[in-house]
Each structure stands twice: as C-alpha cells, then as structure tokens.
Amino acid sequence: MSIEPLWYPLILGNATRYVLPYSPPTDISSVGSTVVVVSVTQSPSICEHQWEATAIEGNSLIVIWHKSIFITMNESEGQNGKKERIGTRGRACVVVLGDLGRSPRMQYHALSLARQASLEVDIVAYGGSVPHIAVLRHPSIHIHTMTQWPKIFQDLPRIFRPIMLLLKPLVQFIMLLWFLCLKIPCPDVFIMQNPPSVPTLVAVRWASSLRHSAFIIDWHNFGYTLLGLSLGINSRFVSVYRWIEKRYGKMADGSLCVTKAMQHELAQNWGIKATVLYDQPPEFFHPTSLEEKHKLFCRLDKNLRQPLGLGDCVSGGSLGLGNYELNETLFTTQVGTDIFLKPNRPALVVSSTSWTPDEDFGILLEAAVMYDRRVAAVLDEDDSTNEEFLWKEISDGKEYLYPRLLFIITGKGPEKEKYEEKIRRLHLKRVAFRTMWLSAEDYPLLLGSADLGVCLHTSSSGLDLPMKVVDMFGCGLPACAVSYSCIEELVKVKKNGLLFSTSSELADELLMLFKDFPDGCDALKLLRNGTLEMSSSASWATEWEEHAKPLISKVISRSLN
C-alpha cells in the first residue's frame, strides 16, 4: 500500500531523526503510539533510493521506508529474520595495542559494529595518528587512549634490551587490564588485533573471563614472525612468544583472519578454526574526480615542489620549474571553471610503507635508477647531457616517449630517515621522490589521483595481505606488488596489477606501463579498467555483513548460554 506521510526532520548530532505524526495504517501494522521516532541511515550496500530506518523510541518496531511503502517487523528481527542488534549489553570493545590511526581494519570493524550491528563501541588503543573522521564523529564510537611506552626507553644501550623485552609487556599488560576491566563499560564481546600478541592476548583473555564477555581475535599476521625479524627466528624470546601466541590464541571464542592461506595454517598447525574476512575498502576509498585532484594538488603543491636533495626533475634545481599561481599545479591547470590535466605532467606513482624491515625499500630505489638509465639509453642520451637543460625543455612543454616519474612515499616508521638519506645521494634525471604523511581524508584522494601504486610488502609469515593494495584497488589504482606465497589472493596478474621479485623486474614493468604516457600506455589503461571493474563488486560493508557479523553473533550467543 502506498502512503504519503509527513516527515519532520530533527538534526541531532551526526544522526538525522524523523518524526512521523501519525500511526501507519492498521492493515500494515498496529502501532500503539501516535508518534514514531526513527533513526535513518543510508547503507552503501542498498540501492540509491532505498532507506533503512530503525525505531528507537516509542515502540518496538523497525520501519523500512522504500518508495513510500511501510514495512514493519519486531525490533529483534531485521530483514530475512536476522537479528539487528547483537548481545544483551549492546556493546563491543575493539582492542588495538598500537596507533589507532594506522590500524584501518580495526577502525572499519568499529564502524561496522556501530552501523551494522547497532552496538555502542569502545576502542582501546594508543594515540598518535588521527583516525578517520567517520570514526571520530560517529556518536556510538568511544575512543579510550592509552599512554604510549616512553620513547626514552627505546634509546637505552643494547645491554638493557632483554630487561626491556620483559618490562615493556608487563607495563602494557597492567595498563590493558586497567582499561578493559575498569575504564570501559562491560561489553558483549572483545575484538582484538593480532599482532602484537604479547601481552594483548593474555590481557584480553583475562578481561573477557572477568567480565563474562566473548573474545574474538582478528589475525592480521603472526606476532612471533615479526619479532623474529629483529631477534632471529631461533631466539628463545621468539620461541616463548610463539608458545604464548598459540596457547592463548586457542582460548579465543572465535577467530577472523585475512587470507585462506592463514586460515589453513591456523587450522592445520595451531588447531584454530578461523573465518576469512578479506580486507575491502570502505566507502571513502573511491576514484578521485578531476576537481578533487586539482584541489588536492593545490594543497600539496608546496611539498611536491620541495626536493629531498638539491634539485630534481620536478623542482628543476637552480632553474626552478613551474607556475606557483593557485590555478596551476604540477599535474593540473584551471582555466575559468574548467580543469585540465597537463600533457607533460610527470607520472605519479604512490607507495605506502611502514619503513620496517619486512619492506625492502631498496628494491624501489634500484628500480628507479634502472628506469632512469634505461630511458636515457632508449633516447640515446649520454651522461654528458645537462640535466637542468633537460628539465627546462620538459617545463617548456617538450614531451618524450617516457615520462618523468614522481614517487610519493607515504607512511611513518623507523627506517624512514635512512632511506631519505639514500634518496638525497641519487642523481636521477627523470625520477623524483617525495616522502610525506597525509591525513586520513587526503590519503584516499592521493591514491585516486595517482597513475600506479607500488607495494613492497613481503609479509614476515608469508600469510597476510597488504591493506595498502586493498586501498589502492578501492580507488581504482592498479598496483605492482612484490611476489610472495599468497599475494595472488589479492593481485590478479594482468587484471588489476603486476607482480615482481627483483628491482630489474619492477623497472621493466615501469617502462612497459608508462611508454607513451599519458595518451598511449594501453597496458596501464587495461589494468586500471580491470581494477575498477573488480573493485566495484566488493565492499567492506558487504564482506563484514556476510562473514564477520554471523561469527560475532554466534560467539556472543554461545557466551550468553
């Protein structure tokens, strides 16, 4: 039956609530109150004109509004008879013993728990980087920030390292118990990120027992393999760490993991049954419009023109290149209301790194040098060619068979300064590097503005997948990634990306993809089209709804029983 109710919007914080000034007709449902207050959200998994509204006051109904039709159900059931609200306490706790802003998957868990399971969510984590604005502004998500381990202890002589390896987890354990048992309200379920495993697994297990809550582990990797990178896989500390990780991992009420390879390893060698929840980009990772690109490059223009060394093909060295007016950037120019991409712009390559030993950044530097030398050889240039004269020709509009490459490397980590110094010592004619840290809002825009992504992640266990490539695909950006055992679960060769094992292979791929850039490069265009096609069929919301939500509901129900 079609009806035309009068909606009165009330803006309350982040939510929009509507008052319906009369009851729905009796042939649709019987409502005891003449006023129904509902909270309305638009789900990306629902078609454009369909809205889902959940009754929160006055009666116990869920109202689905679609094309002027009312459908009503009990609050305990949603569409297809599924429960809309999980648990009796209506609360979940997400635990991250790390920088929350650099833990995107756990931020997405929190958003899904709040949006798709209608739970209040407490996040216990370290501060540092700013989380995404969607997490900060959601009224049902509450962030509890722990105190970081003092940096002064990181600079102590190596003789004190064994003491720190024991003292640090003890202090973290006490702090975690304080937050999980006393600072936050009692949750239905704890969901923790692993690694780090020690002391997180022990603390969350204890807290779940003390508070009679369920306990779920989201396995991103194995903690003992990461520790093995610095101490050696045969270290006694690593052996003890693995024993704790395995013992307490088996105590969890449920497990999620990121690949089928990890699922198999957990089942065969750890005795743990895990559900695969592939990383998928949330809705704010999408292709970037030309207007968004121009605004982003305007914001970043000063940083992009500042070289790491004395000068390069982007900054122009002592000559200086480009126009510093607000309507022109390295990549775009605006004439009136129209925005254009420059035909002689550099090709933009983005790589996100944590600057840690499991990512060999040296491969990218070597590939950049090879690209520079091989292009010079193809164009029959010798070493005596004046680089600043070449840059001036490019600035004046001359186009070459192969473009300049601008690598933007985003991220924070311990080896950043070491590699920045190596970059400063490079003398390249057609390749430039920039390192920067972007906000959670600008990072997706940069990915959507780039021409190619490069991933150097190799995985300490060989069983996890790089989230950074998932983000690239969400923005329609094809990627070249280091090849290892399970990477093909994510990167489909010649469809959404390419794989390489050596710097020479990466250099070959750069030459092949960027030949005759920007109007030619058919291979790059095919990869981009394949990436857009494959990424359009998947989303974090649908993946979470299908795999994570049923596990969480089952674990909580079993815990209550």
Side-chain angles (χ1 to χ4, degrees):
M1 178 177 178
S2 177
I3 59 175
E4 296 293 335
L6 301 174
W7 294 96
Y8 296 92
L10 302 173
I11 308 301
L12 301 176
N14 232 28
T16 304
R17 298 184 181 182
Y18 294 85
V19 177
L20 178 65
Y22 55 82
S23 303
T26 55
D27 58 340
I28 296 179
S29 68
S30 58
V31 183
S33 171
T34 58
V35 177
V36 179
V37 181
V38 295
S39 174
V40 180
T41 60
Q42 186 178 23
S43 169
S45 62
I46 299 175
C47 66
E48 183 178 356
H49 301 294
Q50 184 171 346
W51 294 81
E52 178 177 309
T54 307
I56 57 174
E57 292 179 22
N59 57 75
S60 58
L61 296 175
I62 287 178
V63 182
I64 307 296
W65 173 252
H66 182 208
K67 297 181 180 177
S68 302
I69 298 175
F70 265 100
I71 306 169
T72 60
M73 293 167 281
N74 287 331
E75 185 176 15
S76 61
E77 292 182 302
Q79 299 179 67
N80 303 320
K82 293 182 180 179
K83 289 189 176 182
E84 293 292 325
R85 184 160 179 161
I86 301 174
T88 58
R89 300 163 182 165
R91 206 166 196 100
C93 178
V94 175
V95 184
V96 182
L97 192 64
D99 185 340
L100 177 61
R102 297 170 67 186
S103 304
R105 182 175 167 103
M106 302 312 288
Q107 293 183 60
Y108 306 157
H109 269 306
L111 285 169
S112 291
L113 287 163
R115 292 172 176 175
Q116 297 169 247
S118 303
L119 295 175
E120 294 292 316
V121 182
D122 296 292
I123 303 177
V124 176
Y126 287 139
S129 308
V130 180
H132 195 276
I133 194 169
V135 175
L136 296 175
R137 288 187 177 178
H138 200 290
S140 296
I141 296 178
H142 317 279
I143 299 175
H144 307 267
T145 304
M146 298 183 292
T147 303
Q148 290 268 19
W149 178 251
K151 290 186 177 180
I152 188 173
F153 293 123
Q154 298 176 8
D155 300 325
L156 291 175
R158 290 182 62 87
I159 192 173
F160 294 107
R161 190 168 189 178
I163 299 175
M164 291 300 103
L165 285 173
L166 296 174
L167 182 60
K168 181 179 179 179
L170 178 61
V171 173
Q172 291 174 327
F173 175 74
I174 295 171
M175 186 181 302
L176 276 169
L177 278 185
W178 169 259
F179 273 84
L180 301 182
C181 295
L182 299 173
K183 291 278 285 185
I184 66 169
C186 192
D188 288 295
V189 62
F190 289 100
I191 300 177
M192 65 154 283
Q193 170 185 294
N194 185 77
S197 314
V198 179
T200 326
L201 282 169
V202 183
V204 176
R205 173 58 185 161
W206 284 28
S208 67
S209 297
L210 292 170
R211 308 203 77 171
H212 305 288
S213 304
F215 166 32
I216 293 175
I217 302 172
D218 190 11
W219 297 84
H220 298 192
N221 202 345
F222 292 118
Y224 81 92
T225 62
L226 289 172
L227 186 63
L229 291 176
S230 57
L231 299 184
I233 201 66
N234 296 320
S235 166
R236 290 186 179 181
F237 280 108
V238 173
S239 299
V240 172
Y241 198 102
R242 185 183 186 279
W243 181 85
I244 295 173
E245 188 172 18
K246 182 175 181 179
R247 177 175 175 81
Y248 279 86
K250 294 170 72 171
M251 294 181 183
D253 299 299
S255 289
L256 297 166
C257 64
V258 295
T259 63
K260 291 180 180 178
M262 183 175 288
Q263 181 189 46
H264 179 77
E265 172 68 16
L266 286 168
Q268 292 294 111
N269 299 320
W270 292 57
I272 295 172
K273 182 180 179 181
T275 298
V276 178
L277 176 65
Y278 282 120
D279 284 316
Q280 299 289 354
E283 67 274 10
F284 36 82
F285 281 87
H286 56 77
T288 306
S289 68
L290 188 56
E291 182 181 1
E292 288 174 319
K293 290 179 182 180
H294 182 67
K295 290 180 178 179
L296 175 69
F297 292 138
C298 284
R299 291 196 298 273
L300 300 180
D301 195 62
K302 184 177 180 181
N303 291 331
L304 294 179
R305 295 181 187 273
Q306 184 64 42
L308 281 172
L310 294 176
D312 55 34
C313 61
V314 170
S315 67
S318 61
L319 293 175
L321 297 180
N323 191 326
Y324 286 85
E325 295 180 8
L326 289 177
N327 65 347
E328 186 170 353
T329 72
L330 284 169
F331 301 92
T332 58
T333 185
Q334 183 172 1
V335 180
T337 58
D338 296 323
I339 299 172
F340 304 94
L341 288 169
K342 291 181 175 180
N344 67 331
R345 67 186 181 274
L348 179 55
V349 184
V350 174
S351 182
S352 177
T353 179
S354 55
W355 302 100
T356 52
D358 66 339
E359 295 186 348
D360 185 0
F361 193 75
I363 291 178
L364 183 57
L365 296 188
E366 292 172 4
V369 172
M370 291 178 185
Y371 175 88
D372 198 67
R373 292 175 178 173
R374 291 175 186 178
V375 170
V378 169
L379 299 179
D380 199 26
E381 296 175 353
D382 55 41
D383 293 338
S384 63
T385 302
N386 185 282
E387 57 190 24
E388 293 198 354
F389 177 76
L390 173 66
W391 299 339
K392 184 66 169 61
E393 281 191 330
I394 294 172
S395 178
D396 291 340
K398 184 173 182 179
E399 297 180 37
Y400 288 86
L401 182 63
Y402 293 96
R404 295 168 291 165
L405 299 186
L406 174 59
F407 288 91
I408 295 183
I409 316 300
T410 69
K412 298 178 181 178
E415 297 193 342
K416 180 180 179 181
E417 292 183 0
K418 180 182 81 173
Y419 280 108
E420 283 182 333
E421 183 57 35
K422 288 186 177 182
I423 292 171
R424 290 186 184 96
R425 293 198 296 266
L426 295 176
H427 298 287
L428 304 176
K429 295 179 181 179
R430 285 184 168 83
V431 181
F433 286 87
R434 300 292 182 268
T435 60
M436 59 181 66
W437 174 258
L438 296 175
S439 69
E441 289 70 47
D442 278 348
Y443 178 61
L445 295 177
L446 177 66
L447 295 183
S449 303
D451 300 297
L452 182 69
V454 173
C455 176
L456 303 169
H457 179 80
T458 55
S459 176
S460 61
S461 65
L463 300 172
D464 69 318
L465 294 174
M467 183 71 191
K468 63 198 76 177
V469 174
V470 175
D471 295 338
M472 291 172 184
F473 290 165
C475 296
L477 180 65
C480 293
V482 173
S483 180
Y484 62 93
S485 58
C486 67
I487 189 64
E488 291 190 44
E489 288 190 42
L490 177 61
V491 179
K492 309 301 180 183
V493 177
K494 295 185 179 180
K495 293 183 179 180
N496 59 7
L498 299 172
L499 300 177
F500 61 90
S501 299
T502 65
S503 54
S504 181
E505 289 179 3
L506 176 57
D508 288 340
E509 291 171 0
L510 294 173
L511 287 163
M512 182 265 292
L513 293 174
F514 287 118
K515 184 179 181 180
D516 201 20
F517 178 88
D519 296 325
C521 52
D522 293 337
L524 181 62
K525 291 177 181 178
L526 285 173
L527 288 183
R528 180 173 287 276
N529 291 337
T531 302
L532 290 169
E533 182 180 342
M534 295 179 71
S535 63
S536 64
S537 62
S539 73
W540 171 266
T542 53
E543 186 82 6
W544 195 91
E545 187 78 25
E546 182 178 352
H547 299 289
K549 188 176 179 180
L551 173 68
I552 295 169
S553 300
K554 179 181 178 181
V555 163
I556 291 176
S557 298
R558 192 166 60 222
S559 176
L560 292 174
N561 293 334

